[in-house]
């Protein structure tokens, strides 16, 4: 009986998650649709300002990027699978090269304070913090969050970022 109660407690536990959202194919429509799906599944979702950035690693249209903050009630691997299904539902071909146009790209940047490596390239926290299009919106929504690897706040990480004085262009888009 005690093991069952423990398992029930784990099932009901939630973790604060920070997701990176990006799109350069019909980005306004795809980002709005993705946030709506996140809200339908997870409830309240806080969204950062949206930023426009050039494609990284290939020639293509500019990306629109944002951070979504939600409380997940599922394991990070299950959340990752759910997010991959969301990408596919928006037209992403996961067989595409990692540097290509995308209708939707969603990555878990933080899952609470968890540090974890998993199958494929799964890694928490995600290593993309060196990109201003990830770090700037993270610092906007969670400036006091302490990175579990570096031990400093997102505000301090952004203040030290090489692009701090020339941040990505903010876009007037309500998600």
């Amino acid at each position: 009986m005690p093991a069952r109660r423990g398992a029930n407690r784990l099932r009901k536990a939630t973790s604060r998650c920070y997701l990176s959202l990006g799109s350069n194919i019909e980005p306004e429509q795809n980002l709005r649709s993705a946030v709506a799906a996140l809200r339908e599944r997870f409830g309240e979702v806080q969204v950062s300002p949206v930023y426009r950035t050039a494609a990284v690693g290939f020639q293509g249209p500019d990306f629109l990027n944002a951070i979504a903050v939600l409380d997940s009630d599922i394991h990070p691997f299950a959340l990752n699978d759910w997010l991959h299904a969301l990408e596919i539902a928006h037209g992403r071909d996961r067989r595409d090269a990692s540097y290509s146009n995308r209708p939707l790209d969603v990555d878990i940047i933080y899952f609470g304070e968890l540090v974890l490596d998993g199958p494929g390239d799964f890694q928490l926290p995600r290593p993309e913090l060196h990109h201003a299009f990830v770090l700037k919106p993270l610092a906007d929504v969670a400036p006091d969050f302490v990175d579990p690897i570096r031990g400093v706040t997102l505000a301090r990480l952004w203040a030290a970022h090489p692009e701090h004085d020339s941040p990505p262009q903010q876009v007037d888009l309500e998600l």
Side-chain angles (χ1 to χ4, degrees), residues 28-165:
E28 295 91 350
Q29 175 184 332
N30 283 318
L31 291 178
R32 281 187 179 119
S33 177
V35 169
L38 289 169
R39 286 184 172 129
E40 183 177 325
R41 168 58 182 86
F42 296 98
E44 185 178 335
V45 175
Q46 178 187 1
V47 183
S48 73
V50 177
Y51 293 93
R52 178 180 307 280
T53 57
V56 174
F58 69 99
Q59 294 294 318
D62 288 349
F63 275 79
L64 294 185
N65 297 96
I67 294 293
V69 184
L70 56 86
D71 291 322
S72 175
D73 59 346
I74 58 178
H75 188 279
F77 294 160
L79 176 59
N80 195 53
D81 290 344
W82 191 91
L83 295 171
H84 284 178
L86 180 64
E87 291 173 337
I88 291 166
H90 282 80
R92 173 142 182 217
D93 183 349
R94 296 216 42 95
R95 296 172 298 176
D96 283 347
S98 59
Y99 296 109
S100 62
N101 293 316
R102 306 224 168 120
L104 186 62
D105 185 23
V106 185
D107 292 310
I108 307 168
I109 304 299
Y110 293 109
F111 193 95
E113 297 174 355
L114 187 62
V115 176
L116 177 68
D117 289 326
D121 66 349
F122 187 92
Q123 187 177 3
L124 292 174
R126 291 281 297 190
E128 283 87 356
L129 285 181
H130 63 278
H131 292 299
F133 63 82
V134 174
L135 185 53
K136 172 61 172 133
L138 270 170
D140 289 340
V141 295
D144 297 326
F145 180 82
V146 176
D147 180 281
I149 302 264
R150 296 161 188 87
V152 297
T153 65
L154 294 175
R156 285 193 54 206
L157 285 172
W158 174 242
H161 193 276
E163 293 179 47
H164 178 266
D165 294 331

